Amino acid sequence: MKSSVSRALVAASVTVALGLTAACGSDDDGKKPSEPAKSTQDSKPSAKKAAALSAADLEKAVLAKGDLKGYKIEKLSAADMPAQTVAAAPATCQPLADMFMFATDPASKARLGRTMTGPDELDATIITLALLAHEQDDAEKVMDGLRTATQKCKAYEHAGSKYREVAALTAPKAGDEAVSYKVVGLIEGQKTPMSFTVVRSGSTLAAFYSINLLKPKEFGVPEKIVEAQVAKVEKL
């Protein structure tokens, strides 16, 4: 298959996945889930909580062309990040269902999204990232909710789709704390693991979503992308 055709198929399928129009299956990908873990950088608690960044600040902080050599970065439209949330069943999985569209409870003050494809034309991995601006207390609540959900949620239904085999993954040592997890779906008849990583840096959440539709078992967010994005947020 030519690389250009592969990329086109992947891009189209990712749009479907992000739009929650694909039904999801219940089979695992065979990987053994790791134990839920909270990744934090050891530091003394700050006396002053960080305030929410503005929309303009997020534009300055998000990865852009030239920040990572060879990566193509495109804006994620507002239609792919709907503000309205839909109830998930069971309710214990709601934080995971919300994060699928980069939504949170408490709601963010501002947010933006980007999609990234790497320099290897044969690599069908698509990374979608978002920056979410919160007051720090709210950002901490969102992280606690995600962490609890990865421990208690095993499967859920949301917006007419089914998600199975929720499992915590080893979180990167980035920002103030981080959480990673996967869900397994069925997209175009193929079992497809989807990987999520969310990092809190002060009051800002950097969220990452990864999928590879051509090679489903090759999924995950490269550490260099997480590190680059968090570092740029922390420069503000």
Side-chain angles (χ1 to χ4, degrees), residues 172-187:
K173 294 182 179 179
D176 296 306
E177 57 178 323
V179 61
S180 293
Y181 58 94
K182 72 167 185 177
V183 299
V184 176
L186 187 67
I187 297 178

Side-chain angles (χ1 to χ4, degrees), residues 135-154:
E135 297 297 336
Q136 186 168 326
D137 285 341
D138 287 347
E140 291 171 356
K141 289 177 183 177
V142 172
M143 295 298 290
D144 287 342
L146 287 170
R147 193 173 296 108
T148 298
T150 63
Q151 296 171 4
K152 295 184 177 181
C153 176
K154 301 303 178 184

Side-chain angles (χ1 to χ4, degrees), residues 73-94:
I73 301 175
E74 298 179 325
K75 290 185 177 181
L76 192 64
S77 71
D80 291 323
M81 298 177 66
Q84 185 176 2
T85 60
V86 178
T92 53
C93 302
Q94 191 67 50

Side-chain angles (χ1 to χ4, degrees), residues 125-202:
T125 300
I126 299 292
I127 306 295
T128 307
L129 68 89
L131 295 184
L132 313 175
H134 289 269
E135 297 297 336
Q136 186 168 326
D137 285 341
D138 287 347
E140 291 171 356
K141 289 177 183 177
V142 172
M143 295 298 290
D144 287 342
L146 287 170
R147 193 173 296 108
T148 298
T150 63
Q151 296 171 4
K152 295 184 177 181
C153 176
K154 301 303 178 184
Y156 65 95
E157 295 187 16
H158 181 242
S161 296
K162 296 180 180 179
Y163 300 87
R164 297 291 184 264
E165 304 300 338
V166 177
L169 301 174
T170 301
K173 294 182 179 179
D176 296 306
E177 57 178 323
V179 61
S180 293
Y181 58 94
K182 72 167 185 177
V183 299
V184 176
L186 187 67
I187 297 178
E188 296 184 350
Q190 182 171 253
K191 288 185 293 184
T192 307
M194 295 168 275
S195 171
F196 292 80
T197 291
V198 184
V199 180
R200 181 181 67 82
S201 181

Side-chain angles (χ1 to χ4, degrees), residues 7-45:
R7 279 290 175 84
L9 288 174
V10 172
S13 297
V14 167
T15 299
V16 172
L18 288 175
L20 287 174
T21 58
C24 292
S26 59
D27 293 326
D28 195 5
D29 64 353
K31 293 184 179 181
K32 183 178 180 181
S34 58
E35 290 297 320
K38 179 178 181 180
S39 174
T40 60
Q41 297 295 333
D42 293 331
S43 60
K44 295 181 180 180

